[in-house]
Amino acid sequence: MIKIAPSILSADFCRLEEDIQKVSSADWLHVDVMDGMFVPNISIGVPVVQSIRQHTNMFLDTHLMIEKPGRYVKAFADAGADLLTIHLEADMPPAIRAALREMDSLGVKKGIALRPITAAEAVIPYLKEGLDLILVMTVEPGFGGQSFMADMLPKLTAIRGYIEQYCPGCHLEVDGGINPETAKLCVQAGADVLVAGSAIYNAPDIPAAIEALRS
Ligand code: DX5
Ligand code: ZN
């Protein structure tokens, strides 16, 4: 079963509640947190997640594009995030492990994300210890509206294989440049959660755009 996760990075932040209601036929809500260090952009933070939580029951799929993400695991969990995804490139492995353990102890689902440069094999040690999600970036993180990197497809296939081997049940999510055409390629390569910002929010008919990604 494919899940669609609209990215509110493409929403109108002055009309955030309305824009979240518009995507209520989707499965998850993708929340992009950026610190201006890990990526060259600043988006939203803890207080916004807290407010979103008060206005929707959607599953909050929170993508932390921040340096040393362990510093903020508790704050985002307390704010109401359902899943926290941290980048492998954002800290040293022991700190990444500690952050994932903290997610466990706080009862929040845990994910790791890979920039395009990071090899598929990097996920293996973490998968062996248990994960809820792996996010493969199909653009350089930081901005919406970029073009899909088709050379990430073999990485998806490889990671799908590792998931089946080491941690069946772990989701495989893609983020960046997803539209109905690229969605199909990603699903064929093994993805089961599709993030989309501009393909959903720039569409004239949002529910139809969400359904188009499922087929
Ligand atoms: C980019 C973010 C994405 C972004 C995707 O760094 O992680 O979630 O919103 O936007 P589109 O779907 O427009 O590529
Ligand atoms: Zn994202």
Side-chain angles (χ1 to χ4, degrees), residues 95-138:
I96 297 291
R97 280 214 169 76
L100 293 169
R101 273 198 304 270
E102 192 181 359
M103 292 177 205
D104 265 343
S105 70
L106 293 167
V108 66
K109 295 204 183 300
K110 53 183 196 288
I112 57 170
L114 280 70
R115 280 181 179 276
I117 188 86
T118 304
E121 297 72 39
V123 305
I124 295 174
Y126 300 96
L127 263 181
K128 286 181 173 170
E129 289 168 18
L131 283 174
D132 297 297
L133 177 138
I134 296 175
L135 165 54
V136 171
M137 290 303 301
T138 42

Side-chain angles (χ1 to χ4, degrees), residues 7 9-10 30 32 34 63 65 137 139-146 175-178 195-199:
S7 166
L9 191 61
S10 295
H30 187 80
D32 286 305
M34 304 181 185
H63 179 191
M65 285 162 275
M137 290 303 301
V139 298
E140 281 300 338
F143 300 91
Q146 304 181 75
D175 183 6
I178 301 300
V195 176
S198 43

Side-chain angles (χ1 to χ4, degrees), residues 6-13 16 20 29-32 44 52 201:
S7 166
I8 56 164
L9 191 61
S10 295
D12 177 348
F13 288 134
L16 193 49
I20 290 171
L29 193 68
H30 187 80
V31 181
D32 286 305
I44 61 177
I52 293 172
Y201 278 106

Side-chain angles (χ1 to χ4, degrees), residues 18-110:
E18 206 179 300
D19 277 5
I20 290 171
Q21 297 309 331
K22 285 183 187 164
V23 298
S24 59
S25 63
D27 305 278
W28 291 0
L29 193 68
H30 187 80
V31 181
D32 286 305
V33 175
M34 304 181 185
D35 65 353
M37 292 290 287
F38 183 73
V39 289
N41 197 7
I42 298 177
S43 55
I44 61 177
V46 175
V48 179
V49 173
Q50 224 163 17
S51 296
I52 293 172
R53 181 73 295 164
Q54 280 155 29
H55 293 274
T56 181
N57 292 322
M58 285 180 86
F59 183 92
L60 299 184
D61 166 30
T62 312
H63 179 191
L64 300 183
M65 285 162 275
I66 64 178
E67 290 287 349
K68 303 198 183 303
R71 297 174 298 154
Y72 288 99
V73 163
K74 182 158 181 356
F76 281 104
D78 288 350
D82 293 291
L83 180 147
L84 293 175
T85 300
I86 57 175
H87 271 266
L88 287 190
E89 309 85 4
D91 210 338
M92 302 302 280
I96 297 291
R97 280 214 169 76
L100 293 169
R101 273 198 304 270
E102 192 181 359
M103 292 177 205
D104 265 343
S105 70
L106 293 167
V108 66
K109 295 204 183 300
K110 53 183 196 288

Side-chain angles (χ1 to χ4, degrees), residues 114-120 136 151-159:
L114 280 70
R115 280 181 179 276
I117 188 86
T118 304
V136 171
D151 51 342
M152 292 298 112
L153 291 168
K155 185 154 129 185
L156 281 176
T157 308
I159 293 179

